[in-house]
């Protein structure tokens, strides 16, 4: 993407992490990274004015707040395991005066939601790490009324996501030994359409559909900002933590070069492919 103008980041009423003030920039800004993807999720969700919406893996709550604004006589509940992200989510909801938003720190795989309560469940990249996906989606399904909709945004295969392959290569020493496969669920665990449809069908969902989403991810307005942003991602911090000091510095140098090659002049972008998955509770 370095030889062409990158996409313009759409305007947003939501502040970015950098706009929160001193002491509030430690969290990686997923909202900025995924802003173009967010447009697809919102369009697919089609939140109704009276919907009760459940948002799985809500992070700092942007998708929850957007759902709440659409559900003017309904409500939105955001669930996440991260206390720091939920703290920011609650602060933003208070600042924006949204009375129909609540958040709960919980593991959606096992949390006891009110039965058959929600009209719609959404998730923006929040459902790929379930240890037992059939059990997890069965639990989520129990919180949905019959015929309620499920709308997920998940990554396609790793080799279709430049952000994953290019950034990992830059932080990993060159070796002839292939990387071992992940030991458990990873960000691409719902990439295979047949496997994922089987999971959702076994969990009690029907009418499963997949829609291709081809948008870049965004890491910042320039290379320096993108470098700091990427190193806030835990998975990349872990890669560096396993290296000695000299090798880690070489990896940082490669990372800067990789980011610079993707600096379009209007931001640092990497190609990505995702699925919008929709289904209905049986």
């Amino acid at each position: 993407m370095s030889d062409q103008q990158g996409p313009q980041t759409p305007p947003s009423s939501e502040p970015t992490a950098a706009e929160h003030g001193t002491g509030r920039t430690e969290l990686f800004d997923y909202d900025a990274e995924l802003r173009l993807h967010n447009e697809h999720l919102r369009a697919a969700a089609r939140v109704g004015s009276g919907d009760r919406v459940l948002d799985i893996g809500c992070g700092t709550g942007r998708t929850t707040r957007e759902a709440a604004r659409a559900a003017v006589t309904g409500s939105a509940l955001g669930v996440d395991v991260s206390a720091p992200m939920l703290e920011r989510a609650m602060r933003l909801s208070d600042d924006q005066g949204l009375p129909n938003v609540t958040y709960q720190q919980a593991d959606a795989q096992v949390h006891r939601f009110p039965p058959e309560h929600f009209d719609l469940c959404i998730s923006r990249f929040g459902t790929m790490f379930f240890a037992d996906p059939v059990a997890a989606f069965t639990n989520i399904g129990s919180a949905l009324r019959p015929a309620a909709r499920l709308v997920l945004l998940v990554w396609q295969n790793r080799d279709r996501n430049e952000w994953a392959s290019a950034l990992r290569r830059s932080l990993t020493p060159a070796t002839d030994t292939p990387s071992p496969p992940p030991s458990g669920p990873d960000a691409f665990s719902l990439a295979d359409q047949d496997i994922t449809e089987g999971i959702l069908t076994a969990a009690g969902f029907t009418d499963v559909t997949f829609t291709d989403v081809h948008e870049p991810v965004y890491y910042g307005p320039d290379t320096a900002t993108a470098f700091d942003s990427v190193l806030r991602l835990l998975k990349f911090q872990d890669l560096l933590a396993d290296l000695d000091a000299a090798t880690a510095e070489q990896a940082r140098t490669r990372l800067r070069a990789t980011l610079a090659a993707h600096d379009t002049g209007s931001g640092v972008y990497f190609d990505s492919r995702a699925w919008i998955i929709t289904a209905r509770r049986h």
Side-chain angles (χ1 to χ4, degrees):
M1 295 181 59
S2 57
D3 60 347
Q4 60 184 358
Q5 185 79 357
Q8 298 299 310
T9 303
S12 171
S13 61
E14 290 275 332
T16 65
E19 294 170 331
H20 286 293
T22 303
R24 298 186 182 183
T25 60
E26 295 83 1
L27 297 177
F28 178 78
D29 192 348
Y30 290 102
D31 292 335
E33 180 197 26
L34 302 170
R35 193 165 289 166
L36 294 168
H37 294 76
N38 217 63
E39 304 299 313
H40 294 269
L41 179 65
R42 184 167 59 245
R46 304 192 317 275
V47 177
S49 60
D51 280 348
R52 290 176 291 189
V53 183
L54 173 63
D55 186 3
I56 302 296
C58 68
T60 55
R62 175 173 177 169
T63 48
T64 320
R65 291 187 293 278
E66 288 178 346
R69 291 188 188 99
V72 290
T73 60
S75 62
L77 168 64
V79 175
D80 203 283
V81 296
S82 170
M85 285 191 171
L86 291 175
E87 179 184 355
R88 180 176 289 172
M90 289 185 281
R91 183 168 59 243
L92 287 169
S93 293
D94 289 343
D95 290 347
Q96 295 169 25
L98 295 172
N100 60 336
V101 173
T102 55
Y103 299 98
Q104 187 164 21
Q105 185 178 3
D107 184 346
Q109 300 179 86
V110 295
H111 180 70
R112 292 188 177 183
F113 295 105
E116 298 189 358
H117 178 77
F118 297 97
D119 305 291
L120 170 66
C121 176
I122 62 173
S123 181
R124 187 189 69 184
F125 301 112
T127 59
M128 296 94 66
F129 293 92
F130 293 153
D132 183 340
V134 172
F137 281 111
T138 299
N139 186 57
I140 292 167
S142 70
L144 306 181
R145 64 170 179 77
R149 292 186 303 122
L150 178 73
V151 181
L152 310 177
L153 190 55
V154 307
W155 295 118
Q156 294 186 30
N157 290 323
R158 181 188 297 274
D159 60 9
R160 306 202 78 192
N161 281 280
E162 184 188 30
W163 62 269
S165 55
L167 294 178
R168 178 173 288 272
R169 278 196 306 271
S170 71
L171 291 171
T172 304
T175 176
D176 293 331
T177 305
S179 300
S183 58
D186 68 357
F188 311 99
S189 66
L190 298 178
D192 186 283
Q193 294 179 71
D194 291 337
I195 291 174
T196 300
E197 182 173 1
I199 289 169
L200 293 175
T201 300
F205 290 91
T206 62
D207 302 329
V208 182
T209 68
F210 295 79
T211 302
D212 180 52
V213 175
H214 187 193
E215 295 284 6
V217 295
Y218 169 80
Y219 286 120
D222 51 55
T223 300
T225 305
F227 180 80
D228 292 339
S229 179
V230 167
L231 289 185
R232 289 194 194 102
L233 282 167
L234 183 60
K235 57 179 173 284
F236 296 130
Q237 291 176 18
D238 289 345
L239 289 176
L240 288 176
D242 293 335
L243 306 177
D244 61 62
T247 306
E249 185 54 38
Q250 292 170 358
R252 292 188 187 94
T253 299
R254 291 195 302 271
L255 175 61
R256 288 189 186 95
T258 299
L259 294 169
H262 288 78
D263 190 338
T264 66
S266 61
V268 178
Y269 293 90
F270 285 77
D271 196 27
S272 79
R273 298 299 279 260
W275 295 121
I276 288 281
I277 304 175
T278 63
R280 286 190 180 274
R281 188 195 166 196
H282 191 272

